Structure formats: C-alpha cells, structure tokens
Amino acid sequence: MLLRQAHFTTITVVCIPIIFAIFVFVSYFHDGTLNVIPSHLSLRPSHDEKPASQNDPSHSTSAPSTNATPAEKPHTNIENEEEPPQNVNSPAAPSTPSTIDQKVFPQNDWLPARPIDPSCAHLPDLSKVLLIIKTGASETYDRLPTQFMTMARCLPDFLVFSDMEESIMGYRVYDILGDTLKEVKDGNSDFNLWRRQQECLVDQKSCQKWSNVGTEAWNLDKYKNVRQSDVTYTMRPHYDWYIHIDADTYIHWPNMIDMLKPFDPKKDYFFGSFEPSQYGDFNHGGSGYILSQSAMQKFHANSSVEHFDHEARNICCGDMLMTIAVRENIGLANTNMFPTINGRKPFTLPFGPRQWCQPIATLHKLNSEEVGSIWQYEQERFVNATDGKPAPLLIKDLYYKYFAPRLTDKLEDWDNMYDDYLNNVWYYIDYDDKSKDWEHFHDQKYVWHRRKPKDHKHDEEKNAHKSFENCKKACDVVDECLQFRWQDDACAMSKNFRLGNPMEHKDGKERWTSGWAVKKIEKWIADQGECQVKFPEA
Ligand SMILES: *[C@@H]1O[C@H](CO)[C@@H](O)[C@H](O)[C@H]1NC(C)=O
Ligand SMILES: *[C@@H]1O[C@H](CO)[C@@H](O)[C@H](O)[C@H]1NC(C)=O
C-alpha cells in the first residue's frame, strides 16, 4: 500500500511537470518561432502575414472574382474552407454508380486551403476560365496529383470527369458515365471496365492488372465528351471560357489567356487543333479544345446527350463526336488554333517552318515527369525575368530547353522520324528488293510517310537505303534534309527536326539509328532571326 502510494507520488511529482514542459515546448515551436515548414509551403495561410499578392484578387485564397451574378455562390473549389470534410471516403459510400445530381452540385469534397502561393504570382487572372479535365480511373493517380501540384495549382476552380466516382487528395472526380443511357451500357462490352472498376474492393491497379486496361479505357472514353460539356454548363454556367483537356495535357496559362483575349466570349467559338477525319477536321481532345460562354450555353440548351450516347457506339473517338455534336446541335464550326494549341510534347515536337515562332499554350501526352519538368522551367523563366513578366513562351524556347542540349549527329536505338505533316518525311528504299513488302512498309499506318522519290537529283540518293552512312551522305547533299534515320534497308529524311524516342535494341540492320544534320539545323535556326510573336487568329 505504501509502495503504491509512493509510486503515485512519483508519477504526480515527476511526470506531470515533464508533460507540461513538453506541452510548453511544443506550443512554443508551433507558434512559428522555429517553424520548420516554410510559410509558403504550409497548407493554410498564416493570418499575421500579408503576402505580396494579397491585393490581387485573382491570387488570393479567398473567393476569386468570378463573373457570377451576386446571387450566385462564387465558383471556387475552396469555398468549403471553413466546413468539415464531407465524408471523403465514407465506407458507406454506395457501390452502385452515383449519378451526378442534376439539382445539387456539391463542390469538390474538401480541399486544403491554397496557400498564397508565390508560384502563382506571375499568372494572369484565371477566374474567368473553367478547366475541365477528362480522365479515367485507370490513370487518375498516375496523372492528377502532379497536375494538382503544377498546372492546376493556381486555378480557383476546375472540374474532373472520369469513369468512376473518386475523391483524389480531396478533389472530387465525377463519374460522367453514371448517367449514360442504360440501354447503351447494357450488354455493351465498351462498359466492361466501367463495371469492373466499381466492383473493385481494393486499389484499381490491383484489380485490373490482368486486363488490357489501356484499350478498355480508350473504348470507354468516347462516351464522355458530349455529356461532360453538357453537365459542366449546368454546374458552372458563368464562365467566359470552358477549356477541355485530358489528364496528360499541359496548359501554359499566360499564353492561353493571351490567346483568348481578342475574342468575345458572348460570341460562339469552338477553338482547338485540327485533326483530319472522314467527318472533316475535328478538334483534337488531347490538344485541348475551348468553348466560349455563348457556345456552351447554346450547346447545353440544345444538347441531345441521349442521341450522342447512341452515336458514340459507332465512332472511334469522343473528340470527333464532340465536334460533330457542336456542329449539328448549334451549327458552329470548329476553329484551328494550331500550333499554339498543340498535341505534341517538347521531346517529340517537330521543329521547323510550321512550328518555331508561335507561342505555345498547350502540350499533350506528357507523363508526370514531363509535366513537372515544364512547370519547373516555367517557374524558372519567371524568376529570371527582371520585371516578373517573361516574354511569351514560344515553341523555339522548347527547342532550346529540351532539344538543343541533346542535339548530336547520331543516336543508336533511337527513332527521330514521326512527323505530323504531309510531305515532310520521305523514304529511300530499294524498289527492286523483292524480299520486302514495301506496300506494307513499317510506317504504313501513316500513309503520307510512304513517298518514295524515284527521280533522284543526286547520285547519293540512289544508294541512301544501303546503310546509315549512305543515308547520311544523301542527307548531306539534299538541301532540305535536316534529319534522317536508317533502319531495315530504308533511309528516311525530314525537313523538320525533333529529338524523338529511344527504341528497343535490335541487332544488325534491324537497329534503329537516327542522325541529325547539325550544321544545317544551326544554319536554319540562325536564318530565322528574331521571332515576331503572333497568336493564331480565328
Ligand atoms: C437545336 O437543334 C435543333 C435540331 O437539331 C435545330 O433545329 C435548332 O436550330 C437548334 N437550336 C439552336 C439554338 O441552335
Ligand atoms: C535563369 O538564369 C540562370 C542564371 O543566369 C540560368 O542559368 C538559367 O538557364 C535561366 N533559366 C531560364 C529558364 O531562363
């Protein structure tokens, strides 16, 4: 008994003061005297700080200056700042698809308050544009977190549409296919992945690893475009511009805003980058397309989402269908903003006469590493700019950043040849070689790559197909050849220059070998001189 009492006294006398001391110690540091987290990286703005950008409403963490009527709630992802999280991952969440409620549109579940972020300070007012990201559950975690930290970081509002309901780091991701007509979904193998994703008890990667998710996700994708634009207008009717992209699209915001500036959103516009098809040129989804307020309003008022649910079954792609839907529903033709709206990325963009001086607003097919890299490059340009306003980012800047430091005359196990434009790539082959099925030549899916010149101006061209060295000699004498590639008895040349991709190692003549006419490229660049910065005109 005595022993126990002594024990109790020890606890009272020794431990309580220690606990109190720890409490005082922690509070002291917590108050920020020795805060190890720099204030600009902490999740919540410190109240006794007045950051420089506070006087600009578009960069503040409070509600942005949207063009909403006063009765409207401001359109911001962060308006729930003071509210508790709304059951982000409630175990009671229904396993059946929750369709998007047409009357009540909750904001994103919960977002950390955005700090007053120096990385946003250079950006123009983004409160009049709405970003709409289209994605699929098979890729959301590979792509979105990086986008949230970089390209989408400074946006007061954006929407994410997918093929499964999710909450990703507090951002709500809508299942846009929940409302797709039952008669279109039932018995339709395009929706197999959609059904399996909902049945998954753990993470999607573990559930889907035995199936060809890439193809299945592609098949689902075309059902999203028309519906997501329609629902977007119900949810967010007050923006000037509605910018639709994929999760692997990067937007350079200063150029995007400058590109849109001359246009009146009260007129009908449907901007994009043209891709040819049997239905005419359509606005390529991965490059991004943009509808004006007026066009969105009409599209929504006259939308026939059910009709296009059915139509989606018979067409390859949602962006193609969207272009048809805009044309059919509101009689609006699409407008080409290439190359400022662009479907390539820095490592694979063909530089040359068509792509050099123009400002760049979108890039596409970037993985997270590439998104991080270009965002960081953007930041660096702003830090370096003496007046805080760097010159518009031009396509040639991407050359200097991503290609010039790697430019060399030869790379093995490398392919530099993909080119988007007719007549820019041509091949030298041996027509008499009967062992080759030249009609089904390896790049034959790009039919315009099959030009095989027969009337050679130079003797070197006759032997170009024989080896890499011969191909190089031929390139040296053909003025417009800026790069070449030799593989499997074919010498390919191009008027453009791009870095390209590494290829799997092959032996002998199967090996991909790429070359660049470095001197000619440097001369071509010098000949261009200073750029006249010019945005595309509608
Ligand atoms: C809506 O669609 C109908 C039928 O396609 C068409 O006749 C009508 O002109 C359209 N309305 C608008 C505002 O474009
Ligand atoms: C920024 O300036 C530094 C130092 O002059 C330079 O090394 C760097 O290349 C510049 N970066 C950009 C993107 O201009």
Side-chain angles (χ1 to χ4, degrees), residues 14-167:
V14 178
C15 294
I16 291 183
I18 288 174
I19 290 166
F20 183 69
I22 290 171
F23 177 72
V24 168
F25 183 81
V26 167
S27 318
Y28 176 77
F29 284 100
H30 185 73
D31 278 342
T33 325
L34 259 181
N35 205 336
V36 286
I37 304 172
S39 61
H40 71 280
L41 291 179
S42 69
L43 287 181
R44 293 194 177 262
S46 141
H47 292 292
D48 42 40
E49 250 176 47
K50 234 203 177 93
S53 57
Q54 191 123 64
N55 39 19
D56 183 343
S58 66
H59 303 138
S60 94
T61 50
S62 57
S65 59
T66 65
N67 51 347
T69 56
E72 289 288 329
K73 285 181 93 181
H75 308 114
T76 163
N77 280 335
I78 56 167
E79 66 188 21
N80 298 333
E81 194 182 332
E82 301 307 326
E83 289 166 22
Q86 303 169 4
N87 254 347
V88 174
N89 281 320
S90 158
S95 59
T96 51
S98 57
T99 57
I100 294 170
D101 189 325
Q102 298 284 332
K103 283 180 228 71
V104 185
F105 295 109
Q107 300 292 324
N108 285 331
D109 291 349
W110 175 82
L111 288 180
R114 255 182 291 272
I116 294 176
D117 186 336
S119 73
C120 303
H122 64 268
L123 290 176
D125 180 2
L126 298 173
S127 64
K128 305 241 182 331
V129 297
L130 182 70
L131 181 68
I132 299 114
I133 303 175
K134 177 170 64 59
T135 183
S138 59
E139 64 166 21
T140 43
Y141 276 91
D142 289 338
R143 304 201 185 280
L144 292 180
T146 310
Q147 295 283 29
F148 295 162
M149 289 171 74
T150 57
M151 186 272 289
R153 176 177 181 142
C154 305
L155 294 171
D157 191 8
F158 58 86
L159 295 172
V160 185
F161 293 107
S162 179
D163 41 34
M164 192 181 77
E165 193 74 17
E166 280 185 283
S167 175

Side-chain angles (χ1 to χ4, degrees), residues 302 328-330:
N302 215 10
E328 285 185 3
N329 277 9
I330 65 172

Side-chain angles (χ1 to χ4, degrees), residues 286-399:
S287 304
Y289 54 77
I290 303 141
L291 287 136
S292 62
Q293 158 64 226
S294 171
M296 279 289 277
Q297 187 266 324
K298 286 183 186 160
F299 186 72
H300 176 68
N302 215 10
S303 86
S304 12
V305 286
E306 287 91 359
H307 170 69
F308 287 104
D309 279 351
H310 285 287
E311 291 297 300
R313 298 190 75 149
N314 312 316
I315 201 163
C316 73
C317 325
D319 45 5
M320 198 184 278
L321 188 62
M322 181 67 191
T323 304
I324 293 170
V326 170
R327 196 192 302 148
E328 285 185 3
N329 277 9
I330 65 172
L332 174 62
N334 48 335
T335 301
N336 197 6
M337 296 302 228
F338 175 88
T340 295
I341 301 294
N342 206 298
R344 302 260 154 241
K345 60 184 183 179
F347 287 136
T348 58
L349 194 148
F351 299 98
R354 280 195 70 189
Q355 299 192 78
W356 190 250
C357 275
Q358 301 92 340
I360 189 92
T362 68
L363 294 160
H364 175 226
K365 281 200 182 298
L366 289 87
N367 57 38
S368 277
E369 182 178 343
E370 292 166 306
V371 167
S373 164
I374 183 103
W375 183 80
Q376 214 162 286
Y377 169 59
E378 226 182 79
Q379 295 296 318
E380 224 180 281
R381 292 177 86 248
F382 290 114
V383 170
N384 278 9
T386 41
D387 57 353
K389 226 183 142 43
L393 180 66
L394 305 183
I395 290 177
K396 77 167 187 177
D397 295 324
L398 300 176
Y399 167 80

